[in-house]
Amino acid sequence: MRWRKTKAGEAPAAPRSTRSRMLIAAVTGAIGVFAFAPFGWWPLQIIALALLTYQALRADSVRAAALVGWAFGFGWCAAGFHWLYVAIHRFGGMPAPLAAVSIALLAAAMALYAAGAMGATAWLRKRWPLPLPAATLLVLPACWAAFEMLRGWLFTGFPWVTAGYAHNTSPLAGYAPLLGVYGISWLAAVTAGALPLLMHPFRYKAIALVAAIWVGGFGLGRVEWTAPSGQPLSVRLVQGNVALENKFDIQHIGNTLRMYQQVVTSAPADLIAIPETGVPLFPSQLPPGYLDTYGQFARRTGSHIVLGMPMTNGPEYSNSVLGLPPSLAAHTYRYDKHHLVPFGEFIPTGFRWFTNLMQIPLGDQTRGATIQAPFPVKDQKVLPNICYENVFGEEIAEQISLTGATVMLNVSELAWYGESIAIPQHLQMSQMRALETGRPMLSATNTGATVVISPRGEVVHSLPLRQAGVLSATVQGMSGDTPYIKLQNKLFLALAALAIAGAWLWSRKPRG
């Protein structure tokens, strides 16, 4: 089916080459980064996906469509996580040219998922064959979101700049408690697929579909999926602002240990938390009586203290948090990070030579259990996650489903990424986790963003970035299951499968 008609007597325009389509797609994908935090221009993301839809479905072959998708994905990913350069060059010590090549190769690999989505769409459209509205409204959105989900799972996953995150403040955020971030990606792609149909006879139905989606999101955003549970907690979240260059330097570690000890024990609270590896030494390396000081303060004041620190497991070690309860009768709590960062926290098979090019401490860790008990704090159940783990919404939802956690706590060390867009993007992901689960999210970080996020995904308390401080707030735990907690991504996948089935049925209809 043609996208436009030529006037009588008018020579048809020469078809655009695949290379030119790829160039347009790459630039469009790169511009799409402005849809995410800290910029937040979410309509731009829908426009970018609409341009991708147009360029991919105008390509003259399945291979060409896949190449267009790859180019878009490369621009999208290279712009979306270029900040990794800061970690591996400035702090990891890798030579600048090799660091730049590494980021480009990673973006090229992640772009294969977008290539798969566009190639699958073009293949299905050719095989069945599909009318244009079926391709843009049913097949392409389902393929796009499904391949995004695959990117977040395969080879441990890297779901950074998933399209749905751009909509944590748009009306589509109302679907987060039902469909999660990938479901929002799907609905955003449906909206984008309607734009190329504005000059098509199907345009009024497409507009009606999009209007229903967005009005539905607006209405769902007003539904209270969870309810207050127990009494509110007083919390103190410590932002140490320790320079990363000094954090693991033996000459500065003593100052860091004393600083956190003084700040934590300066005032009581129901829950006091310091960042990931705020205590940068193993327990056996700490000065005598150091941890006892925290324990005595906890017992004297009724405080529950969470310390981010590495812990040993015999000859192995893990990135952990240690929870000190106020009662001698209660067990010391421990949570071990289970979703580790490739190259930064574990070494993929065959890549030790690559990690040896960097000087990243604590770089070969063991995984904790997938499901771990929350930290009991009075009548609340506080579920920790460490840094990168907040990117995996289905894992957090499953943990809440099985443990009944009422509050989420993220402890992070984001100084690895300097003053880049990684910090607001990480915060945006935490906001999505709150939306999906209907629970507050606390975030204690070294340099920011240290925040309290409401169950509606709103930042209600925060500290300035790159300044030492303590965030004091009162937080209400929540109970009850959102549909996403119960089903994780199953509902989205079922609806995406129905969309594909609907497209097939559409292709079987007789055409008059």
Side-chain angles (χ1 to χ4, degrees), residues 206-290:
I207 292 171
L209 174 62
V210 169
I213 288 172
W214 286 75
V215 170
F218 183 82
L220 287 169
R222 276 134 187 84
V223 176
E224 300 290 343
W225 297 98
T226 55
S229 174
Q231 297 300 312
L233 298 178
S234 61
V235 302
R236 298 179 67 234
L237 307 175
V238 181
Q239 182 169 290
N241 199 41
V242 177
L244 198 60
E245 296 91 337
N246 299 333
K247 183 171 182 175
F248 298 98
D249 187 334
I250 194 66
Q251 296 181 353
H252 295 88
I253 285 178
N255 293 332
T256 299
L257 295 178
R258 285 189 292 272
M259 179 272 294
Y260 277 117
Q261 189 178 66
Q262 291 169 3
V263 173
V264 168
T265 60
S266 65
D270 295 329
L271 176 65
I272 305 172
I274 72 171
E276 173 189 15
T277 59
V279 176
L281 299 177
F282 297 111
S284 61
Q285 298 173 317
L286 291 170
Y290 182 79

Coordinates of all heavy atoms in Angstrom, one line a residue, residues 206-290:
A206 N -7.8 5.3 13.7 CA -6.5 5.4 14.4 C -6.5 6.5 15.5 O -6.0 6.3 16.6 CB -5.3 5.7 13.4
I207 N -7.1 7.6 15.1 CA -7.2 8.7 16.1 C -8.0 8.3 17.3 O -7.7 8.6 18.4 CB -7.7 10.0 15.4 CG1 -6.7 10.5 14.4 CG2 -8.1 11.1 16.5 CD1 -7.2 11.6 13.5
A208 N -9.1 7.6 17.0 CA -10.0 7.2 18.1 C -9.3 6.2 19.0 O -9.5 6.2 20.2 CB -11.3 6.5 17.5
L209 N -8.5 5.3 18.4 CA -7.8 4.3 19.2 C -6.8 5.0 20.1 O -6.7 4.7 21.3 CB -7.0 3.3 18.3 CG -6.1 2.4 19.0 CD1 -6.8 1.4 19.9 CD2 -5.3 1.5 18.0
V210 N -6.0 6.0 19.6 CA -5.0 6.7 20.4 C -5.7 7.5 21.5 O -5.2 7.6 22.6 CB -4.2 7.6 19.5 CG1 -3.3 8.5 20.3 CG2 -3.3 6.7 18.6
A211 N -6.8 8.2 21.1 CA -7.5 8.9 22.1 C -8.0 8.1 23.3 O -7.9 8.4 24.5 CB -8.7 9.6 21.5
A212 N -8.5 6.9 22.9 CA -8.9 5.9 24.0 C -7.8 5.5 24.9 O -7.9 5.4 26.1 CB -9.6 4.7 23.4
I213 N -6.6 5.3 24.3 CA -5.4 4.9 25.1 C -5.0 6.0 26.0 O -4.8 5.7 27.2 CB -4.3 4.5 24.1 CG1 -4.5 3.2 23.4 CG2 -2.9 4.5 24.9 CD1 -3.5 2.9 22.3
W214 N -5.0 7.2 25.6 CA -4.5 8.3 26.4 C -5.5 8.7 27.5 O -5.2 9.0 28.6 CB -4.1 9.5 25.5 CG -2.8 9.2 24.9 CD1 -2.6 8.4 23.8 CD2 -1.5 9.6 25.3 NE1 -1.2 8.3 23.5 CE2 -0.5 9.1 24.4 CE3 -1.0 10.5 26.3 CZ2 0.8 9.3 24.5 CZ3 0.3 10.7 26.4 CH2 1.2 10.2 25.5
V215 N -6.8 8.7 27.1 CA -7.8 9.0 28.1 C -7.8 7.9 29.1 O -8.0 8.1 30.3 CB -9.2 9.1 27.4 CG1 -10.3 9.2 28.5 CG2 -9.2 10.4 26.6
G216 N -7.7 6.6 28.7 CA -7.6 5.5 29.6 C -6.4 5.7 30.6 O -6.6 5.4 31.8
G217 N -5.3 6.1 30.1 CA -4.1 6.3 31.0 C -4.4 7.4 32.0 O -4.0 7.3 33.2
F218 N -5.0 8.5 31.5 CA -5.4 9.6 32.4 C -6.3 9.1 33.6 O -6.1 9.4 34.7 CB -6.0 10.7 31.7 CG -6.3 11.9 32.5 CD1 -5.4 12.9 32.7 CD2 -7.6 12.1 33.0 CE1 -5.7 14.0 33.5 CE2 -7.9 13.2 33.8 CZ -6.9 14.2 34.0
G219 N -7.3 8.3 33.2 CA -8.2 7.8 34.2 C -7.5 6.8 35.2 O -7.7 6.8 36.4
L220 N -6.7 5.9 34.6 CA -6.0 4.9 35.4 C -5.1 5.5 36.4 O -4.8 5.0 37.5 CB -5.3 3.9 34.6 CG -6.2 2.9 33.8 CD1 -5.3 2.1 32.8 CD2 -6.8 1.9 34.8
G221 N -4.5 6.7 36.0 CA -3.6 7.4 36.9 C -4.3 7.9 38.2 O -3.5 8.2 39.2
R222 N -5.6 7.8 38.3 CA -6.3 8.2 39.5 C -6.8 7.1 40.3 O -7.4 7.3 41.3 CB -7.4 9.1 39.1 CG -7.0 10.6 38.9 CD -7.5 11.2 37.6 NE -6.9 12.5 37.5 CZ -5.7 12.7 36.9 NH1 -5.0 11.7 36.5 NH2 -5.2 13.9 36.8
V223 N -6.4 5.9 39.9 CA -6.8 4.7 40.7 C -5.8 4.4 41.8 O -4.6 4.5 41.5 CB -6.9 3.4 39.7 CG1 -7.2 2.2 40.5 CG2 -8.0 3.6 38.7
E224 N -6.3 4.2 43.0 CA -5.4 3.8 44.1 C -5.3 2.3 44.2 O -6.3 1.6 44.6 CB -6.0 4.4 45.4 CG -6.1 5.9 45.4 CD -4.8 6.6 45.5 OE1 -3.8 6.0 45.8 OE2 -4.7 7.8 45.1
W225 N -4.2 1.8 43.7 CA -4.1 0.3 43.7 C -3.6 -0.3 45.0 O -3.8 -1.5 45.3 CB -3.0 -0.1 42.6 CG -3.5 0.3 41.2 CD1 -3.1 1.4 40.6 CD2 -4.3 -0.4 40.4 NE1 -3.7 1.5 39.3 CE2 -4.4 0.3 39.2 CE3 -5.1 -1.6 40.5 CZ2 -5.2 -0.1 38.1 CZ3 -5.8 -2.0 39.4 CH2 -5.9 -1.2 38.2
T226 N -3.0 0.5 45.9 CA -2.5 0.1 47.1 C -3.0 1.0 48.2 O -3.5 2.1 48.0 CB -0.9 0.0 47.2 OG1 -0.4 1.3 46.8 CG2 -0.4 -1.0 46.2
A227 N -2.8 0.5 49.5 CA -3.4 1.3 50.6 C -2.3 1.4 51.7 O -1.4 0.5 51.8 CB -4.6 0.6 51.2
P228 N -2.4 2.4 52.6 CA -1.4 2.6 53.6 C -1.4 1.4 54.6 O -2.5 0.8 54.8 CB -1.9 3.8 54.4 CG -2.7 4.6 53.4 CD -3.3 3.6 52.5
S229 N -0.2 1.0 55.0 CA 0.0 -0.2 55.9 C 0.8 0.2 57.1 O 1.9 0.7 56.9 CB 0.6 -1.3 55.1 OG 0.9 -2.4 55.9
G230 N 0.3 0.0 58.3 CA 1.1 0.3 59.5 C 1.3 1.7 59.7 O 0.6 2.6 59.1
Q231 N 2.2 2.0 60.6 CA 2.5 3.4 60.9 C 3.7 4.0 60.1 O 4.6 3.2 59.7 CB 2.9 3.5 62.4 CG 1.8 3.1 63.4 CD 0.6 4.0 63.3 OE1 0.7 5.2 63.2 NE2 -0.6 3.4 63.1
P232 N 3.6 5.3 59.8 CA 4.7 5.9 59.0 C 6.1 5.7 59.7 O 6.1 5.7 60.9 CB 4.3 7.4 58.9 CG 2.8 7.4 59.2 CD 2.6 6.3 60.1
L233 N 7.1 5.7 58.9 CA 8.5 5.7 59.4 C 9.2 7.0 59.3 O 9.0 7.7 58.3 CB 9.3 4.6 58.6 CG 8.9 3.2 58.6 CD1 9.8 2.3 57.7 CD2 8.9 2.6 60.0
S234 N 9.9 7.3 60.3 CA 10.9 8.5 60.2 C 12.2 7.9 59.5 O 12.7 6.9 60.0 CB 11.2 9.1 61.5 OG 11.8 8.2 62.4
V235 N 12.7 8.6 58.5 CA 13.8 8.1 57.8 C 14.9 9.2 57.7 O 14.6 10.4 57.6 CB 13.5 7.5 56.4 CG1 12.5 6.4 56.4 CG2 13.0 8.7 55.5
R236 N 16.1 8.8 57.7 CA 17.3 9.6 57.4 C 18.2 9.0 56.4 O 18.7 7.9 56.6 CB 18.1 9.9 58.7 CG 17.3 10.6 59.8 CD 18.2 10.8 61.0 NE 19.3 11.8 60.8 CZ 20.6 11.5 61.0 NH1 20.9 10.3 61.5 NH2 21.5 12.4 60.8
L237 N 18.3 9.6 55.2 CA 19.1 9.1 54.1 C 20.3 10.0 54.0 O 20.3 11.2 53.8 CB 18.3 9.1 52.8 CG 16.9 8.4 52.9 CD1 16.2 8.6 51.6 CD2 17.0 6.9 53.2
V238 N 21.5 9.3 54.1 CA 22.8 10.0 54.2 C 23.4 10.1 52.8 O 23.6 9.1 52.1 CB 23.7 9.4 55.1 CG1 25.0 10.2 55.2 CG2 23.1 9.3 56.5
Q239 N 23.7 11.3 52.3 CA 24.5 11.5 51.1 C 25.9 12.0 51.4 O 26.0 13.2 51.8 CB 23.7 12.5 50.2 CG 24.4 12.8 48.9 CD 23.5 13.6 47.9 OE1 22.4 13.1 47.5 NE2 23.8 14.8 47.7
G240 N 26.9 11.1 51.4 CA 28.2 11.5 51.9 C 29.0 12.4 51.0 O 29.9 13.2 51.4
N241 N 28.8 12.4 49.6 CA 29.5 13.2 48.7 C 31.0 12.9 48.8 O 31.8 13.8 48.7 CB 29.2 14.6 48.8 CG 29.5 15.4 47.6 OD1 29.3 15.0 46.4 ND2 30.1 16.6 47.8
V242 N 31.4 11.6 48.9 CA 32.8 11.3 49.0 C 33.3 11.2 47.6 O 32.8 10.5 46.7 CB 33.0 9.9 49.7 CG1 34.4 9.5 49.7 CG2 32.4 10.0 51.1
A243 N 34.4 11.9 47.3 CA 35.0 11.8 46.0 C 35.4 10.4 45.6 O 36.1 9.7 46.4 CB 36.2 12.8 45.9
L244 N 35.0 10.0 44.4 CA 35.3 8.6 44.1 C 36.8 8.3 44.0 O 37.2 7.2 44.3 CB 34.6 8.3 42.7 CG 34.5 6.8 42.4 CD1 33.6 6.1 43.4 CD2 33.8 6.6 41.0
E245 N 37.6 9.3 43.7 CA 39.0 9.1 43.6 C 39.6 8.8 45.0 O 40.6 8.2 45.2 CB 39.7 10.4 43.1 CG 39.4 10.7 41.7 CD 38.1 11.7 41.6 OE1 37.3 11.7 42.6 OE2 38.0 12.3 40.6
N246 N 38.9 9.2 46.1 CA 39.3 9.0 47.4 C 38.7 7.8 48.1 O 39.2 7.4 49.2 CB 39.1 10.2 48.3 CG 39.8 11.5 47.8 OD1 40.8 11.4 47.1 ND2 39.3 12.6 48.0
K247 N 37.6 7.3 47.6 CA 36.7 6.4 48.3 C 37.5 5.1 48.7 O 37.3 4.6 49.8 CB 35.5 6.0 47.4 CG 34.6 5.1 48.2 CD 33.3 5.0 47.4 CE 32.3 4.1 48.1 NZ 31.0 4.0 47.4
F248 N 38.3 4.6 47.8 CA 39.0 3.3 48.0 C 40.5 3.6 48.3 O 41.3 2.6 48.3 CB 38.8 2.4 46.9 CG 37.4 2.0 46.7 CD1 36.6 2.6 45.7 CD2 36.8 1.0 47.4 CE1 35.3 2.2 45.5 CE2 35.5 0.6 47.3 CZ 34.7 1.2 46.3
D249 N 40.9 4.8 48.5 CA 42.3 5.2 48.8 C 42.5 5.0 50.3 O 41.8 5.6 51.1 CB 42.5 6.6 48.4 CG 44.0 7.0 48.5 OD1 44.7 6.5 49.3 OD2 44.4 8.0 47.7
I250 N 43.5 4.2 50.6 CA 43.8 3.9 52.0 C 44.0 5.1 52.9 O 43.8 5.2 54.1 CB 44.9 2.9 52.1 CG1 45.0 2.3 53.5 CG2 46.2 3.6 51.7 CD1 43.8 1.4 53.9
Q251 N 44.5 6.2 52.2 CA 44.8 7.4 53.0 C 43.6 8.2 53.3 O 43.6 9.1 54.2 CB 45.8 8.3 52.1 CG 47.1 7.7 51.9 CD 48.1 8.6 51.1 OE1 47.6 9.7 50.6 NE2 49.3 8.2 51.0
H252 N 42.4 7.9 52.6 CA 41.2 8.7 52.9 C 40.1 7.9 53.5 O 39.1 8.4 54.0 CB 40.7 9.3 51.6 CG 41.6 10.3 51.0 ND1 42.6 10.0 50.1 CD2 41.6 11.6 51.1 CE1 43.3 11.0 49.7 NE2 42.7 12.1 50.3
I253 N 40.3 6.5 53.5 CA 39.2 5.7 54.0 C 38.8 6.0 55.5 O 37.7 6.0 55.9 CB 39.6 4.2 53.9 CG1 39.4 3.8 52.4 CG2 38.7 3.3 54.7 CD1 39.8 2.4 52.1
G254 N 39.9 6.3 56.3 CA 39.6 6.6 57.7 C 38.7 7.8 57.9 O 37.7 7.8 58.7
N255 N 38.9 8.8 57.1 CA 38.0 10.0 57.1 C 36.6 9.6 56.7 O 35.6 10.1 57.3 CB 38.5 11.1 56.2 CG 39.9 11.7 56.7 OD1 40.1 11.6 57.9 ND2 40.7 12.2 55.8
T256 N 36.5 8.8 55.7 CA 35.1 8.4 55.3 C 34.4 7.6 56.3 O 33.2 7.8 56.6 CB 35.2 7.5 54.0 OG1 35.8 8.2 52.9 CG2 33.9 7.0 53.5
L257 N 35.1 6.7 57.0 CA 34.5 5.9 58.0 C 34.0 6.8 59.2 O 32.9 6.6 59.7 CB 35.5 4.8 58.5 CG 35.9 3.7 57.5 CD1 36.9 2.8 58.2 CD2 34.6 2.9 57.0
R258 N 34.8 7.7 59.6 CA 34.5 8.6 60.7 C 33.3 9.5 60.3 O 32.4 9.7 61.1 CB 35.7 9.4 61.1 CG 36.7 8.7 61.9 CD 37.8 9.6 62.5 NE 38.6 10.2 61.4 CZ 39.7 9.6 60.9 NH1 40.1 8.4 61.4 NH2 40.4 10.2 60.0
M259 N 33.3 10.0 59.1 CA 32.2 10.8 58.6 C 30.9 10.1 58.7 O 29.9 10.7 59.3 CB 32.5 11.3 57.2 CG 31.4 12.3 56.6 SD 30.0 11.4 55.8 CE 30.9 10.6 54.4
Y260 N 30.8 8.9 58.2 CA 29.5 8.2 58.2 C 29.1 7.9 59.6 O 27.9 8.0 60.0 CB 29.6 7.0 57.3 CG 29.3 7.2 55.9 CD1 30.3 7.0 54.9 CD2 28.1 7.8 55.4 CE1 30.1 7.2 53.6 CE2 27.9 8.0 54.1 CZ 28.9 7.8 53.2 OH 28.6 8.0 51.8
Q261 N 30.1 7.5 60.4 CA 29.8 7.1 61.8 C 29.2 8.3 62.6 O 28.2 8.2 63.3 CB 31.0 6.6 62.5 CG 30.8 6.1 63.9 CD 32.1 5.6 64.5 OE1 33.0 6.4 64.8 NE2 32.2 4.3 64.7
Q262 N 29.8 9.5 62.4 CA 29.3 10.7 63.0 C 27.9 11.1 62.6 O 27.1 11.5 63.4 CB 30.3 11.8 62.8 CG 31.7 11.6 63.6 CD 32.7 12.6 63.2 OE1 32.5 13.5 62.3 NE2 33.9 12.4 63.7
V263 N 27.7 11.1 61.2 CA 26.5 11.5 60.7 C 25.3 10.6 61.1 O 24.2 11.0 61.5 CB 26.5 11.6 59.2 CG1 25.2 11.9 58.6 CG2 27.5 12.7 58.8
V264 N 25.6 9.3 61.0 CA 24.5 8.3 61.3 C 24.1 8.4 62.8 O 22.9 8.4 63.1 CB 25.0 6.9 61.0 CG1 24.0 5.8 61.6 CG2 25.1 6.7 59.5
T265 N 25.1 8.5 63.7 CA 24.8 8.5 65.1 C 24.5 9.9 65.7 O 24.4 10.1 66.9 CB 26.0 7.9 65.9 OG1 27.2 8.7 65.6 CG2 26.3 6.5 65.4
S266 N 24.3 10.9 64.8 CA 24.1 12.3 65.2 C 22.6 12.5 65.6 O 22.3 13.4 66.4 CB 24.4 13.3 64.2 OG 23.6 13.1 63.0
A267 N 21.7 11.6 65.1 CA 20.3 11.8 65.4 C 19.6 10.5 65.1 O 19.9 9.7 64.2 CB 19.6 12.9 64.6
P268 N 18.6 10.1 65.9 CA 17.9 8.8 65.7 C 16.8 9.0 64.6 O 16.4 10.1 64.2 CB 17.2 8.6 67.0 CG 17.0 9.9 67.6 CD 18.1 10.8 67.1
A269 N 16.4 7.8 64.1 CA 15.2 7.7 63.2 C 14.9 6.2 63.1 O 15.6 5.4 63.4 CB 15.6 8.2 61.8
D270 N 13.6 6.0 62.7 CA 13.2 4.6 62.5 C 14.1 3.8 61.5 O 14.4 2.7 61.7 CB 11.8 4.5 62.0 CG 10.8 5.1 63.0 OD1 11.1 5.0 64.2 OD2 9.7 5.6 62.6
L271 N 14.5 4.5 60.5 CA 15.4 3.9 59.4 C 16.4 4.9 59.0 O 16.1 6.1 58.6 CB 14.6 3.5 58.2 CG 15.4 2.9 57.0 CD1 16.0 1.6 57.4 CD2 14.4 2.7 55.8
I272 N 17.7 4.5 59.1 CA 18.8 5.4 58.7 C 19.6 4.6 57.7 O 20.0 3.4 57.9 CB 19.7 5.8 59.9 CG1 18.9 6.4 61.0 CG2 20.9 6.7 59.4 CD1 19.7 6.7 62.3
A273 N 19.9 5.1 56.5 CA 20.6 4.4 55.4 C 21.7 5.2 54.9 O 21.6 6.5 54.7 CB 19.6 4.0 54.4
I274 N 22.8 4.6 54.6 CA 23.9 5.2 53.8 C 24.1 4.5 52.5 O 23.5 3.5 52.3 CB 25.3 5.1 54.6 CG1 25.8 3.7 54.6 CG2 25.1 5.7 56.0 CD1 27.2 3.6 55.2
P275 N 24.8 5.1 51.5 CA 24.8 4.6 50.2 C 25.5 3.2 50.0 O 26.2 2.7 50.9 CB 25.6 5.7 49.4 CG 25.6 6.9 50.3 CD 25.5 6.4 51.7
E276 N 25.4 2.7 48.8 CA 26.1 1.5 48.4 C 27.6 1.7 48.6 O 28.2 2.7 48.3 CB 25.9 1.3 46.9 CG 26.7 0.2 46.2 CD 26.6 0.2 44.7 OE1 26.1 1.2 44.1 OE2 27.0 -0.8 44.1
T277 N 28.3 0.7 49.3 CA 29.7 0.7 49.6 C 30.1 2.0 50.3 O 31.2 2.5 50.2 CB 30.6 0.4 48.4 OG1 30.4 1.4 47.4 CG2 30.4 -1.0 47.9
G278 N 29.1 2.6 51.1 CA 29.5 3.8 51.9 C 30.6 3.4 52.8 O 31.5 4.2 53.1
V279 N 30.5 2.2 53.4 CA 31.6 1.6 54.2 C 32.4 0.8 53.1 O 31.9 -0.3 52.7 CB 31.1 0.7 55.3 CG1 32.3 0.0 56.0 CG2 30.3 1.6 56.3
P280 N 33.6 1.2 52.7 CA 34.2 0.5 51.5 C 35.1 -0.6 51.9 O 35.8 -1.1 51.0 CB 35.0 1.7 50.9 CG 35.4 2.5 52.1 CD 34.2 2.4 53.1
L281 N 35.1 -1.1 53.2 CA 35.9 -2.2 53.6 C 35.1 -3.4 54.0 O 33.9 -3.3 54.4 CB 36.8 -1.7 54.8 CG 37.8 -0.6 54.5 CD1 38.5 -0.2 55.8 CD2 38.8 -0.9 53.4
F282 N 35.7 -4.6 54.0 CA 35.1 -5.8 54.5 C 35.0 -5.6 56.1 O 35.9 -4.9 56.7 CB 35.8 -7.0 54.1 CG 35.9 -7.2 52.6 CD1 37.0 -7.1 51.9 CD2 34.7 -7.6 52.0 CE1 37.1 -7.3 50.5 CE2 34.7 -7.8 50.6 CZ 35.9 -7.7 49.9
P283 N 34.1 -6.3 56.7 CA 34.0 -6.2 58.2 C 35.3 -6.6 58.9 O 35.7 -5.9 59.9 CB 32.9 -7.3 58.5 CG 32.0 -7.3 57.3 CD 33.0 -7.1 56.2
S284 N 36.1 -7.5 58.3 CA 37.3 -7.9 59.0 C 38.4 -6.8 58.8 O 39.4 -6.9 59.6 CB 37.8 -9.2 58.4 OG 38.1 -9.1 57.0
Q285 N 38.2 -5.9 57.9 CA 39.2 -4.8 57.7 C 38.9 -3.6 58.5 O 39.7 -2.6 58.5 CB 39.3 -4.5 56.2 CG 39.7 -5.6 55.3 CD 39.6 -5.3 53.8 OE1 38.6 -4.7 53.4 NE2 40.6 -5.6 53.1
L286 N 37.7 -3.5 59.1 CA 37.3 -2.3 59.9 C 38.0 -2.2 61.2 O 38.5 -3.2 61.8 CB 35.8 -2.4 60.1 CG 34.9 -2.2 58.9 CD1 33.5 -2.5 59.2 CD2 35.1 -0.8 58.2
P287 N 38.2 -0.9 61.7 CA 38.8 -0.7 63.0 C 38.0 -1.5 64.1 O 36.8 -1.7 64.0 CB 38.7 0.8 63.2 CG 38.6 1.4 61.8 CD 37.8 0.3 61.0
P288 N 38.7 -2.0 65.1 CA 38.0 -2.7 66.2 C 36.9 -1.9 66.8 O 37.0 -0.7 67.1 CB 39.1 -2.9 67.2 CG 40.4 -2.9 66.4 CD 40.1 -1.9 65.3
G289 N 35.7 -2.5 66.9 CA 34.6 -1.8 67.5 C 33.8 -0.9 66.6 O 32.8 -0.3 67.0
Y290 N 34.2 -0.8 65.3 CA 33.5 0.2 64.4 C 32.1 -0.1 64.3 O 31.2 0.7 64.5 CB 34.2 0.2 63.1 CG 33.6 1.2 62.1 CD1 33.9 2.6 62.2 CD2 32.8 0.8 61.1 CE1 33.4 3.5 61.4 CE2 32.2 1.8 60.2 CZ 32.5 3.1 60.4 OH 32.0 4.0 59.5

